[in-house]
Amino acid sequence: MRLLDWCALTLFFVLPASAGLKNSDCLDCHSDKTLIITNAAGRAVSLFVDEAKLKASAHKTNACISCHADVTVKHPDDNVPLKPVNCAICHERQTESYNASVHGLALKAGHADAATCQDCHDSHEILPPNLPASPLHYSHLAQTCGACHEQEVKDWAASVHGKAMAAGVRDAPTCTDCHSEHRITGLKNAAPEVSAEVCSRCHASERINTMYNLPADRVTTFFQSYHGLAAQYGSTMAANCGSCHGYHKILPSKDPDSTINRAHLVQTCGKCHPGADEKFAGGRIHVDIASARAASGREGLGVQINSWVRQIYLILIFATIGGMFVHNFLLFVRKVAARYRVAVRPVMRMSLAQRWQHFVLAASFIVLAVTGFALKFPESGLARAMGSSEPFRRWTHRIAGVVLLLVGLWHLIYLLSSKEGRRLVVDLFPVKKDVTDVWCQVRYLLGWSTEKPRIGRFGYAEKMEYWAVIWGTIIMGATGLMIWFKIDVTRFLPRWFVDVALTIHYYEAILACLAIVVWHFYHVIFDPDVYPLNPACWDGHVSEEWQKHEHPLDQPAATSAKAPAPKPELSPK
């Protein structure tokens, strides 16, 4: 529609002035090979148009007035020069990219000699870049860009890239492979990670590295180095690939003219590290275990020693910290067990049936969370820890999901069929007092009141958790089954139902996991009154003091249960 609007406006304003104006009228003058003008930059520009080449170009169906919309029958006698052709009328996206390039920005800044569309594509003999005759064909790019960037092209031609291109290696990078096509980017003053990403397109490619016998670790070892780590964390001063290897005249280290040749390393490093000497410049950037083993000589000995020290420290760290962890974990378990053995906990909070349901629910939830996020992020360490087997993660996730639904069904039957279950529903059902308890708790936590809310068997915190679990089980179960049996679902519902179910499933999982960590774990683990764990989930009992403090209105029912007899503590003697 935008193109049609432009055409309509062009016809409206131009046709009266250019009525009867044909290509042949323009060629009366522009077929003269000597027709030349000087542009604003002082460069001589030929106005000769080869009719045969025009008819063979990509614009062969266009008339002159299609591009030169401001031409009239009075031209050139009126001495009014034609305006530059507006390529955006047909090539809007490409023009937007060009306007953001170094060329487009330079033109906007008033540099009349900045490259325009015609400088690269030609004015009339415009050919697709895949044709050998096109100035943008990869074999001619150096010549085309060299019209303005003469020294850069000379440096490129002398580099490993230019020599490879001259030898017929098509994979060798040309100007547009590094600087892009329309949105031409300058890389000398670019952020370090930009330059590294440009070089990574080839030097991190397994196909190119394998085909041309190039080292496969150049990119990974750079990012593991000080420079690479600094670049990843936002440093704009860290050295990038071009800082050491050069930007256009990139040569192998054995070449005497290379910036990374041993004879020039001090000078190269000294650009960023004033005072660098030969010993400093002798350090290696691209180092890994494989290169260390392959190294030889005095420098290789240093790399070998560095590798050995790294491995010794890894073993030392694992053995020392691992031993400390095992020691303290066993000590922690013994002390907690001793505390619970001597503690008097006469109040029954969870029956055996409830504890089993809680255990199965917790186990299935943990498995679902781990396998679910491993499926969502297959490149994560969590996925790799599970063997990076997608079928294993998928089926483990599904089995855990079925277990979760079965324990939910078990709980529903328990609520309907047992007196204990029916009482649980009544006690967990929200009532008006819960609202006043919330307000009372807010006032207490903010210091506006010294009185805590008096809670019965279950307060607003337990009720919120319980009904959130019910809601989450239904939502996760329904959406999970839709994702699992998506083929069957799409027989009755549009495909976007499955997409919505996947979104709900993912974000509901995040919500559930965060709620467990932030809310549930605090009340049953990190609350100072119960740390390191509320024992009710293990044997069902809590202390009388805790019960009176947390659930003062539930004393008669709570103290009616028998407490397990505490085991005597053994004397150290």
Side-chain angles (χ1 to χ4, degrees):
M1 290 301 296
R2 187 176 295 180
L3 178 60
L4 291 175
D5 291 341
W6 274 103
C7 292
L9 287 172
T10 301
L11 291 174
F12 181 79
F13 289 107
V14 172
L15 277 181
S18 58
L21 195 61
K22 301 177 181 178
N23 285 2
S24 58
D25 298 325
C26 301
L27 290 172
D28 285 342
C29 296
H30 288 278
S31 59
D32 183 2
K33 295 183 179 181
T34 63
L35 188 62
I36 297 175
I37 63 167
T38 303
N39 64 11
R43 290 164 53 188
V45 179
S46 173
L47 298 182
F48 167 68
V49 178
D50 190 325
E51 184 178 9
K53 292 182 177 179
L54 176 63
K55 290 181 178 180
S57 74
H59 289 169
K60 58 186 175 184
T61 58
N62 291 9
C64 297
I65 59 173
S66 300
C67 299
H68 300 280
D70 57 330
V71 69
T72 68
V73 293
K74 296 179 181 180
H75 181 78
D77 298 330
D78 57 1
N79 291 322
V80 177
L82 299 184
K83 297 178 181 179
V85 172
N86 184 10
C87 301
I89 295 176
C90 298
H91 304 286
E92 183 180 8
R93 286 192 305 165
Q94 292 84 347
T95 303
E96 288 180 359
S97 296
Y98 165 80
N99 289 337
S101 70
V102 290
H103 296 154
L105 294 175
L107 193 63
K108 288 180 182 179
H111 297 280
D113 58 343
T116 61
C117 306
Q118 293 81 5
D119 291 319
C120 300
H121 291 273
D122 204 326
S123 297
H124 299 94
E125 190 184 357
I126 298 175
L127 299 173
N130 60 328
L131 295 182
S134 171
L136 296 182
H137 189 261
Y138 73 91
S139 60
H140 300 306
L141 268 176
Q143 180 182 353
T144 301
C145 298
C148 299
H149 305 284
E150 184 177 358
Q151 185 58 48
E152 287 82 356
V153 170
K154 286 182 179 179
D155 290 342
W156 172 83
S159 73
V160 289
H161 297 153
K163 291 178 180 177
M165 179 63 69
V169 179
R170 175 61 191 94
D171 287 318
T174 60
C175 307
T176 55
D177 289 317
C178 298
H179 294 276
S180 190
E181 294 183 350
H182 289 95
R183 189 166 183 166
I184 305 293
T185 305
L187 298 178
K188 281 193 175 181
N189 298 320
E193 67 270 20
V194 174
S195 181
E197 289 173 4
V198 170
C199 302
S200 298
R201 295 172 190 167
C202 295
H203 290 280
S205 168
E206 182 180 358
R207 182 186 69 85
I208 291 179
N209 290 333
T210 304
M211 182 178 295
Y212 300 105
N213 197 28
L214 300 175
D217 63 347
R218 299 298 86 172
V219 175
T220 56
T221 50
F222 166 76
F223 282 115
Q224 291 170 1
S225 70
Y226 172 83
H227 298 147
L229 291 172
Q232 291 180 76
Y233 284 99
S235 172
T236 58
M237 302 297 293
N240 56 38
C241 305
S243 304
C244 302
H245 294 272
Y247 293 93
H248 294 98
K249 195 173 183 179
I250 300 172
L251 300 171
S253 59
K254 295 180 180 180
D255 193 304
D257 294 331
S258 173
T259 54
I260 59 171
N261 182 273
R262 186 183 297 274
H264 301 295
L265 273 178
V266 173
Q267 180 183 355
T268 300
C269 296
K271 291 187 296 182
C272 299
H273 303 280
D277 55 15
E278 290 187 4
K279 291 183 178 179
F280 178 87
R284 298 168 65 90
I285 301 299
H286 300 284
V287 179
D288 63 357
I289 296 176
S291 62
R293 291 174 178 170
S296 59
R298 188 177 63 181
E299 183 184 62
L301 177 61
V303 174
Q304 285 278 16
I305 293 175
N306 192 21
S307 175
W308 293 336
V309 170
R310 183 187 298 112
Q311 294 178 47
I312 291 171
Y313 259 99
L314 288 174
I315 296 172
L316 181 63
I317 290 170
F318 179 81
T320 304
I321 304 304
M324 290 177 177
F325 176 81
V326 171
H327 173 275
N328 289 351
F329 176 76
L330 295 176
L331 183 62
F332 180 81
V333 170
R334 295 286 294 180
K335 287 189 174 184
V336 171
R339 179 197 297 180
Y340 287 146
R341 277 199 304 268
V342 300
V344 178
R345 295 181 287 109
V347 182
M348 172 69 78
R349 283 290 293 173
M350 293 180 70
S351 67
L352 181 62
Q354 293 168 2
R355 296 198 301 272
W356 270 110
Q357 292 173 46
H358 177 268
F359 173 77
V360 177
L361 173 69
S364 60
F365 180 87
I366 293 172
V367 174
L368 280 168
V370 172
T371 56
F373 287 116
L375 284 167
K376 178 66 177 178
F377 304 104
E379 298 299 323
S380 65
L382 188 64
R384 290 193 294 270
M386 301 179 66
S388 298
S389 172
E390 196 273 341
F392 174 76
R393 298 194 301 270
R394 182 175 70 246
W395 279 105
T396 306
H397 189 75
R398 290 174 177 177
I399 292 171
V402 171
V403 172
L404 180 69
L405 294 179
L406 290 177
V407 74
L409 180 62
W410 176 15
H411 184 67
L412 179 61
I413 296 172
Y414 166 78
L415 296 179
L416 297 175
S417 62
S418 67
K419 181 179 179 180
E420 187 180 61
R422 290 191 291 271
R423 184 193 166 212
L424 190 66
V425 175
V426 173
D427 291 341
L428 282 167
F429 201 81
V431 294
K432 184 178 179 181
K433 184 180 181 302
D434 296 323
V435 179
T436 59
D437 286 345
V438 171
W439 175 239
C440 183
Q441 184 77 324
V442 169
R443 295 176 69 247
Y444 172 76
L445 294 176
L446 294 177
W448 299 346
S449 172
T450 58
E451 293 186 4
K452 293 177 57 179
R454 293 178 61 80
I455 305 297
R457 185 184 180 192
F458 298 110
Y460 66 88
E462 291 94 343
K463 293 179 180 182
M464 286 172 58
E465 273 199 281
Y466 178 80
W467 293 108
V469 171
I470 299 296
W471 165 261
T473 302
I474 295 172
I475 292 296
M476 296 299 284
T479 55
L481 290 173
M482 288 181 66
I483 298 166
W484 187 353
F485 300 104
K486 51 185 171 290
I487 300 299
D488 298 306
V489 170
T490 53
R491 292 175 182 171
F492 307 98
L493 297 172
R495 179 64 173 82
W496 61 264
F497 270 78
V498 178
D499 298 331
V500 172
L502 187 61
T503 300
I504 294 174
H505 199 79
Y506 173 57
Y507 286 102
E508 182 70 20
I510 294 176
L511 177 62
C513 290
L514 291 177
I516 290 294
V517 172
V518 174
W519 188 266
H520 186 67
F521 281 4
Y522 171 78
H523 289 289
V524 300
I525 297 177
F526 300 110
D527 187 335
D529 292 335
V530 299
Y531 185 82
L533 180 68
N534 189 330
C537 66
W538 182 253
D539 60 16
H541 291 84
V542 294
S543 68
E544 216 170 67
E545 291 76 17
W546 183 87
Q547 180 71 10
K548 288 179 181 179
H549 184 263
E550 296 292 334
H551 302 275
L553 300 183
D554 192 40
Q555 290 308 306
T559 55
S560 63
K562 269 191 173 182
K567 297 179 181 179
E569 180 71 10
L570 295 177
S571 170
K573 298 179 182 179

